[in-house]
Amino acid sequence: MAETAPVVTLDHVTVAYGRSQVLQDVTTTFASGAVGLLGPNGAGKSTMIKALLGFIVPEQGRMRILGLDVAVASLEIRARVGYMPESDAHIPGMNAVSFVAYCGELAGLPRVDAMQRAHEVLFYVGLGEARYRNVETYSTGMKQRIKLAQALVHDPDLLFLDEPTNGMDPRGRDEMLELVRDLAHHKGVNLVLSSHVLPDVEYACDDVVVLDKGRIKVAGPIAALKQPRGRVYELRVKTPAADLEPFFERLRAAGLECHATDEDVVRVFVPGEGGARDVFALAAAAHVQVRHLRASVPTLEDVFARAVGEE
Amino acid sequence: MTPIHDQSYRRYGGGRAPRGRAWAVIAAGGIRTFIGRRMFLGLLLLSWSQFFVRAVQFYAAANLPQILAGDAVAAASFFAPTPATFRDFFDKQDLFVFVVSVYVGAGLIANDRRANALQIYLSKPLTRAEYVFGKLAILMAFLLLITWVPAIMLLIVQILFAGNFTFVRNNFYLFPAVTLFAFIEAGVVSAAMLALSSLSNSSRFVGILYAALMFFSQALFGVLAFVTGDSSLSWIAITHDLAQVGDEIFRLPLRYRTPWPMSFLMIVLLVVVSGLVLERRVRGVEIVA
């Protein structure tokens, strides 16, 4: 596959709120297509997006979006970018279609075109029937959809979606992810999906940038990152979770990574040529009874856990 | 089967307006919102009542001598317009300027802050200055509609009823005076109200704060004037500063002992402070360090 130019580039970017550095010397790129910006709460994801939009001026470093320097061509960038904020945001006193059309006009669309696009994107995001209702009467899920609609109305080349599935019920969440996936894979819109929900990113995105405590931990295509440089096993053990620590210590001492995913389920990453026998041997040595062991398909969760060092 | 109309997402291939016009979109959107409210239309109509009264007065001044005999000539001269009539018109409109400022201005930024709309606005290709200018234009448009427009209309009505240009020729400075004072008043009031509106998420609080500042400064001046027996401290109330500058513009005797440049300086200071407040408060993200 031909290499395409990155849509977003950060070069030694540091952002601080007062004395607290939220992004620390971040250098990374976001490829075209759908890229997940993954990290725990407080990792600096939203700050990174706000800095890219020009809301926050970094203390140092350079950022480029679609080949344009953020510090120089902020308005030109914003004309080609759509932003779906994390928190509830709307323009008060307007119904949905007026609000979205107004956003289109603000982005430079002629009034008639903005109104036509507003109707189209509202149907696209699933708010066609509710488009004449005041936005303030919308449910949380509908507010998420209207935020996507206002970000889309001017047909951006790049979308920043900040936690787009927050507060949505399972069905609404699936529909939102389907929209995000469709935009990136069928409509030619590049997007950066910021989230702390791993399955969302795994479903909708091709690439991922993992951020933790203001630093990039890992970045690249999800498929490549998930390629096991070893094997992953899922164990179900009889020992109570509270007594598993000695077993974990043995695993770690032997160079195996592990983390508990449920009360009695443990995921173990065996690097190199090792296999299930090594796990059984270590379990026996720790007097842990393994009830069930199966080779597991590596997930983004494994990548994330390894990158962030979560247990 | 292919649907008649594809309701899926389509790329946009149409034209885009050159940058720098977003303020006009904000202004037009805001004006449309208020015009759509019946209560506000009623308020606008009420604020024009003085215009109609003055128009009748001008008609009487121009036509009474021809209708009646004797004492009517004296009555006509009583009704005859003078430059002070136009200055007085602005004084009497102050009540409506206050009400419209609170009704329109209090929520202009406060409501956007409450709804987190600033990050929506500022993620579009517009600058913070364009946003502020657009909001300023909304309030200024309505204030000029109840001050400058009726005052200029009165001048035109005077010419029409008198059937000659004598009054206007003798007082030609009234056109620029009316325009200058109306724009100063609307600009200062709008800037101050917008700055206050940016300080809170509650339009009700902003309205109360604005009213309190106006009344408190006037009351403070009243007390000080009573104690000192001197009106040279009128600069502490912005309404009095506007009155002083207005008197100077209309070439009338000043009503307070404060030199008019001092009052003008206070007006400039208020605009500068308002600008600084807006610069600090209108941001896409609020940082609490």
Side-chain angles (χ1 to χ4, degrees), chain A residues 17-18 50 53 55-56 75-76 78-79 81 83 85 87-92 99 102-103 105-111 113 116-117 120-121 123-124 136 150-152 154-157 182-183 187-189, chain B residues 5-19 22-23 25-27 29-30 32-33 37 111-112 114-127 130 135 283-285 287-289:
Chain A
Y17 294 147
K50 284 169 183 169
L53 286 166
F55 292 174
I56 304 165
L75 290 183
E76 203 174 325
R78 281 189 253 156
V81 162
Y83 172 52
S87 52
D88 274 352
H90 62 273
I91 290 167
F99 167 52
Y102 182 67
C103 289
E105 280 190 81
L106 287 175
L109 268 59
R111 195 155 179 227
D113 289 6
Q116 189 181 338
R117 290 274 307 172
E120 285 178 7
V121 294
F123 271 107
Y124 179 67
E136 277 153 84
Q150 66 78 28
L152 274 177
H154 59 293
D155 188 24
D157 295 323
D182 182 55
L183 281 167
K187 308 294 190 248
V189 180
Chain B
H5 175 63
D6 178 15
Q7 291 187 337
S8 176
Y9 181 78
R10 289 185 295 173
R11 300 307 302 254
Y12 175 67
R16 289 172 199 263
R19 275 192 288 282
W23 73 269
V25 174
I26 295 171
R32 273 199 301 272
T33 302
R37 295 179 189 172
N111 288 342
D112 282 350
R114 176 177 52 78
N116 285 324
L118 279 173
Q119 51 185 332
I120 298 268
Y121 276 108
L122 298 178
S123 68
K124 309 296 179 205
L126 63 103
T127 60
E130 275 182 84
K135 294 288 179 181
R283 288 174 188 271
V285 57
I287 298 165
V288 183

Side-chain angles (χ1 to χ4, degrees), chain B residues 45-194:
Chain B
L45 196 65
L46 193 65
S47 69
W48 272 67
S49 53
Q50 193 195 172
F51 166 81
F52 294 110
V53 172
R54 296 283 185 184
V56 171
Q57 176 193 336
F58 290 1
Y59 178 82
N63 294 294
L64 269 181
Q66 296 158 26
I67 298 166
L68 302 168
D71 291 342
V73 176
S77 64
F78 174 74
F79 286 132
T82 65
T85 309
F86 288 86
R87 180 72 191 91
D88 187 50
F89 174 81
F90 277 98
D91 274 349
K92 293 206 166 33
Q93 286 299 90
D94 277 351
L95 173 67
F96 293 107
V97 167
F98 174 79
V99 175
V100 169
S101 298
V102 172
Y103 189 91
V104 174
L108 280 178
I109 296 181
N111 288 342
D112 282 350
R113 289 177 60 83
R114 176 177 52 78
N116 285 324
L118 279 173
Q119 51 185 332
I120 298 268
Y121 276 108
L122 298 178
S123 68
K124 309 296 179 205
L126 63 103
T127 60
R128 291 190 292 151
E130 275 182 84
Y131 170 81
V132 170
F133 193 56
K135 294 288 179 181
L136 199 69
I138 298 168
L139 184 51
M140 278 192 73
F142 286 123
L143 291 181
L144 292 174
L145 188 65
I146 62 167
T147 53
W148 181 67
V149 175
I152 291 291
M153 290 277 284
L154 272 180
L155 278 169
I156 295 168
V157 161
Q158 196 284 328
I159 295 167
L160 292 176
F161 287 158
N164 59 61
F165 290 91
T166 311
F167 175 77
V168 171
R169 201 165 40 238
N170 292 341
N171 302 284
F172 194 72
Y173 73 91
L174 274 178
F175 274 105
V178 161
T179 304
L180 182 62
F181 181 68
F183 274 81
I184 287 177
E185 185 178 39
V188 170
V189 169
S190 302
M193 182 48 107
L194 221 53

Side-chain angles (χ1 to χ4, degrees), chain A residues 39-58:
Chain A
N41 291 329
K45 305 184 296 291
S46 298
T47 300
M48 183 188 280
I49 291 176
K50 284 169 183 169
L52 286 166
L53 286 166
F55 292 174
I56 304 165
V57 180

